[in-house]
Amino acid sequence: VPLYCLSIILFFWIIQSIYIAINFSDEQLNGNNPLWISIYDTISAFYNCGLNLFPDGLIRFQKNWLILISIGLCSCFGGTSFPYVMRFILSLFKNFASKKIQLEYSDFLNRSCVHYSHIFSSLMTKALILQLLTLTTSGIVIFLIAEWNNPKLDYLSTSELFLNAWFLSVMTRSAGMNSIDLTQLSHATLLTYTAMMYIYEHPVIDSHPDDSEKTAFSKLAYKRTKQLFSTPTIWLFFSIICVLLIEQHQSKPYITISSVIFEFASAVGTCGFSLSAPGTSFSLSGSFTHSLLCLQ
C-alpha cells in the first residue's frame, strides 16, 4: 500500500509540475513554484483533502485538460477507486507469481474482508464499480442538462463543458476541489451534488468472514437498498431536482433552492407551512408548473 501511494503521487506530481512550468507564468501562479503547486495539489487530491494554494480553487485551470484529468484521476486512485485498483494489482501479481504464491494470493483475494477492510470480493467490487459509474454519470448528465444554456458559462467550449462536468462529478465523491465558481451553477446542479455527497462512497461491510461471496453481497445489497429507498430522502432529492430543472426557465426568480427545499420539507412533514409567491395571492408551491404538483 505505501508503494502504491508513493507511485501514484510521484507519477502525477512529475506530469503536473512539467506541464505547469512550461505553460504558466509566475504571474499566473501568484509567484508559487510549479514543483510546490503540483506536489501540494497532488497530495491534496490523492488524500481527498480539498485544499488548494489558490483562493479561486482550480478555476484558473478549468480549460487545461491535463491538469483536471490528472487531479481527478489522482483523487479517484486515492479515494473511491482505491479498492478496485488494489484488487486489480493483486490479481496481476497472482498471474505472474509462482504456483505456491498464487495460492496465497488467491486466498487473500477470496477472503479479502478478513485480511484487509478496503479490498472487497470480486462480485462486491463489480457492484461498487457500477455504483461509482452510475453516480458519476448521473452528475455529468444533470450538469449538462442544467448548464448547457447557462449564460454564465458561455466562455467554456462544448468540450470544456464536458471536461468540467466530469471533474466536478468526480470531486463530489470526496475530494471537493472546484474548477468552476459553484455560485454560477443552477440550483438543480447544486442539489444533485448535494445528493451525491450525501451518498457515501463505500459501504460498511458487516458480513461474516465465513459468508460466501453471494451471501455477503446479498446482505450488502439489501442493506444499501433499504438505506436508500426505504426512507423518503432519495425521493425528496429526486422531486426537488425535477422541480428546479423545469422551473429554472420559467422566469420565476423567487423560486430558489432554499425555498423549494422548504416547500418540500413542509409537504413531507405534513406541516402546512408555505412561502408566498410575490405578486400572487397563493403560496409558492402554487406557482410551480401544474404538472409538478404531483411530485409533492
Side-chain angles (χ1 to χ4, degrees):
V1 174
L3 181 59
Y4 166 83
C5 296
L6 183 61
S7 300
I8 296 296
I9 291 173
L10 284 176
F11 176 76
F12 285 110
W13 174 39
I14 292 172
I15 290 179
Q16 289 188 53
S17 59
I18 294 175
Y19 181 84
I20 292 175
I22 295 175
N23 294 279
F24 289 87
S25 64
D26 289 340
E27 184 179 353
Q28 291 175 304
L29 301 177
N30 293 352
N32 291 307
N33 189 302
L35 291 175
W36 171 239
I37 293 174
S38 56
I39 190 62
Y40 191 95
D41 286 346
T42 299
I43 293 177
S44 178
F46 185 81
Y47 289 106
N48 296 170
C49 299
L51 301 177
N52 188 266
L53 293 174
F54 301 108
D56 59 350
L58 298 177
I59 293 178
R60 68 190 63 203
F61 301 122
Q62 63 186 185
K63 297 185 178 183
N64 298 103
W65 285 76
L66 188 142
I67 297 295
L68 293 189
I69 290 177
S70 61
I71 291 179
L73 291 178
C74 189
S75 172
C76 289
F77 289 148
T80 53
S81 299
F82 176 79
Y84 325 140
V85 178
M86 284 300 298
R87 185 175 181 86
F88 175 74
I89 292 174
L90 290 174
S91 298
L92 286 180
F93 285 170
K94 186 188 76 170
N95 293 333
F96 292 100
S98 62
K99 291 185 178 180
K100 182 179 179 180
I101 302 299
Q102 282 183 351
L103 293 175
E104 295 180 4
Y105 275 119
S106 297
D107 178 71
F108 185 94
L109 292 172
N110 292 334
R111 295 169 56 84
S112 53
C113 62
V114 178
H115 303 291
Y116 191 57
S117 61
H118 286 75
I119 299 179
F120 309 135
S121 65
S122 176
L123 183 60
M124 198 172 296
T125 299
K126 294 176 183 177
L128 293 174
I129 291 175
L130 179 61
Q131 172 184 298
L132 175 62
L133 292 176
T134 300
L135 289 172
T136 303
T137 303
S138 299
I140 294 173
V141 171
I142 294 296
F143 179 95
L144 293 176
I145 292 175
E147 312 301 336
W148 190 261
N149 294 315
N150 187 343
K152 297 179 181 179
L153 301 180
D154 284 344
Y155 59 89
L156 294 176
S157 65
T158 301
S159 60
E160 291 167 350
L161 200 64
F162 272 91
L163 171 64
N164 284 273
W166 172 82
F167 182 78
L168 291 176
S169 185
V170 169
M171 290 296 108
T172 59
R173 306 309 306 137
S174 56
M177 294 182 175
N178 65 296
S179 58
I180 292 178
D181 183 355
L182 297 181
T183 60
Q184 296 180 340
L185 302 181
S186 68
H187 299 316
T189 302
L190 293 177
L191 194 61
T192 300
Y193 291 165
T194 302
M196 293 175 66
M197 292 185 288
Y198 171 79
I199 302 174
Y200 51 87
E201 61 195 46
H202 294 315
V204 176
I205 298 181
D206 56 359
S207 58
H208 191 273
D210 292 329
D211 286 342
S212 66
E213 184 174 329
K214 290 186 177 180
T215 301
F217 176 75
S218 298
K219 288 183 177 180
L220 174 63
Y222 174 77
K223 180 177 180 178
R224 292 288 283 155
T225 303
K226 184 178 180 180
Q227 286 176 335
L228 288 176
F229 297 106
S230 64
T231 64
T233 305
I234 193 67
W235 301 112
L236 181 62
F237 272 119
F238 173 76
S239 300
I240 294 174
I241 289 171
C242 288
V243 170
L244 293 173
L245 278 173
I246 297 175
E247 294 293 344
Q248 67 177 343
H249 300 302
Q250 300 299 321
S251 299
K252 301 174 183 176
Y254 50 84
I255 296 181
T256 64
I257 186 169
S258 58
S259 63
V260 173
I261 290 176
F262 182 92
E263 295 294 314
F264 272 88
S266 177
V268 172
T270 63
C271 298
F273 288 153
S274 183
L275 302 175
S276 61
T280 66
S281 58
F282 43 80
S283 66
L284 181 66
S285 59
S287 68
F288 292 165
T289 303
H290 296 308
S291 59
L292 296 173
L293 294 178
C294 61
L295 291 173
Q296 287 189 286

